[in-house]
Amino acid sequence: MITIEALQRYFDGGDERFYALKDIDLHIGRGECVVLKGVSGSGKTTLLGIIGGLDKPSSGKVMVDGEPISKLPDLHLSNFRAQKIGIIFQHYNLMDHLTSRENILVPLIPVANDMHRVEEMTDAAMKLASISHKADMQTSRLSGGEKQRVAIARAVVSDPDIILCDEPTANLDRENSLKFIESIQMLHQLGKTVVIATHDPLFDDLPFKSRVVHLEDGRLV
Ligand SMILES: Nc1ncnc2c1ncn2[C@@H]1O[C@H](COP(=O)(O)OP(=O)(O)OP(=O)(O)O)[C@@H](O)[C@H]1O
Ligand SMILES: [Mg+2]
């Protein structure tokens, strides 16, 4: 599902070149759940950003479900992302002045042509993430765990094959973190390919099959 070959991502500053990702080769199969570990600054967010088409490699090849994601033209890329990839960001990245429902349907905008279908998909995502009861509340008023569930619903609303999660439990207490893991288990059982960047030791022993990949100074170790 995800094939990365000889990936480099560097940033030039003055006369120094800083490698955030170096010589990455990684293959993630359809339906796999991969936990990406590494200390702060090791390149986890950069790698997720490249897989998710939010950032481009400096060199190397990145294929997502057979498409060269870093080479797709912008319009094609936004459609591809809307249909294939759901992202749960560390700080949720919700639009706090909108309601839960409004936040959740945002990824459908590039691909929507039937408002009735948009409503159905939004309702299904809210049900899956157990947040239907807060559908019409402004997300600024939600608790941390509830915001997280809105973020999960938004990530799954278009029924994407791939779910990327960046430090998904960083701002959650243990109970909500365990609930998050249950949601991930359910998505995994639905056949989604899941990649989770995290420091959280709760992910060391997931109750379902997963693979741990370690990043150190931008390299896989
Ligand atoms: N746009 C940028 N310009 C310059 N350096 C960058 C840029 N983006 C990332 N970096 C650098 O790349 C390295 C990896 O950053 P990244 O955010 O991927 O780390 P991370 O593993 O997600 O860390 P954390 O656990 O703290 O979230 C860092 O040293 C960071 O400063
Ligand atoms: Mg990060």
Side-chain angles (χ1 to χ4, degrees):
M1 183 57 112
I2 301 168
T3 300
I4 299 173
E5 285 169 8
L7 167 65
Q8 320 259 23
R9 178 65 170 113
Y10 52 75
F11 299 99
D12 286 323
D15 39 31
E16 290 218 352
R17 176 165 281 183
F18 175 80
Y19 282 86
L21 295 173
K22 207 163 183 358
D23 304 329
I24 303 277
D25 288 289
L26 180 64
H27 300 265
I28 298 176
R30 192 177 292 273
E32 249 198 286
C33 176
V34 172
V35 178
L36 191 58
K37 297 206 99 174
V39 298
S40 179
S42 56
K44 303 181 297 295
T45 296
T46 309
L47 183 56
L48 285 187
I50 288 175
I51 296 171
L54 303 171
D55 185 22
K56 293 202 187 301
S58 305
S59 64
K61 188 170 149 189
V62 181
M63 302 291 285
V64 176
D65 201 15
E67 295 267 5
I69 188 148
S70 58
K71 302 211 168 96
L72 296 176
D74 282 350
L75 182 62
H76 190 132
L77 176 64
S78 63
N79 283 329
F80 181 76
R81 283 193 18 227
Q83 286 164 9
K84 277 271 172 254
I85 302 172
I87 306 183
I88 300 172
F89 297 91
Q90 177 172 357
H91 300 290
Y92 314 133
N93 290 9
L94 300 176
M95 287 179 262
D96 273 342
H97 57 290
L98 300 182
T99 64
S100 303
R101 180 192 298 283
E102 289 162 346
N103 267 283
I104 293 163
L105 63 76
V106 165
L108 298 175
I109 293 172
V111 287
N113 46 23
D114 174 354
M115 214 38 222
H116 181 65
R117 182 80 188 114
V118 167
E119 269 172 36
E120 271 179 8
M121 291 171 87
T122 306
D123 286 343
M126 288 195 293
K127 200 166 163 209
L128 186 139
S130 309
I131 196 68
S132 311
H133 59 300
K134 301 278 173 160
D136 297 312
M137 189 178 273
Q138 244 186 306
T139 53
S140 57
R141 297 193 186 159
L142 299 178
S143 73
E146 289 166 346
K147 285 184 186 175
Q148 171 71 297
R149 278 182 268 154
V150 173
I152 295 171
R154 184 182 54 183
V156 301
V157 71
S158 59
D159 195 23
D161 295 325
I162 300 172
I163 314 274
L164 306 176
C165 317
D166 196 358
E167 307 278 0
T169 56
N171 303 304
L172 298 181
D173 58 21
R174 188 182 158 83
E175 190 190 333
N176 279 304
S177 298
L178 291 171
K179 278 190 192 158
F180 177 79
I181 288 175
E182 274 173 31
S183 310
I184 291 297
Q185 179 166 22
M186 185 168 55
L187 294 171
H188 180 61
Q189 282 163 354
L190 289 171
K192 309 289 181 196
T193 306
V194 183
V195 186
I196 309 162
T198 186
H199 297 107
D200 191 338
L202 273 182
F203 287 85
D204 288 347
D205 281 309
L206 286 180
F208 52 96
K209 198 167 175 294
S210 66
R211 172 156 67 106
V212 180
V213 166
H214 289 270
L215 267 178
E216 205 175 288
D217 291 333
R219 290 176 187 271
L220 286 182
V221 290

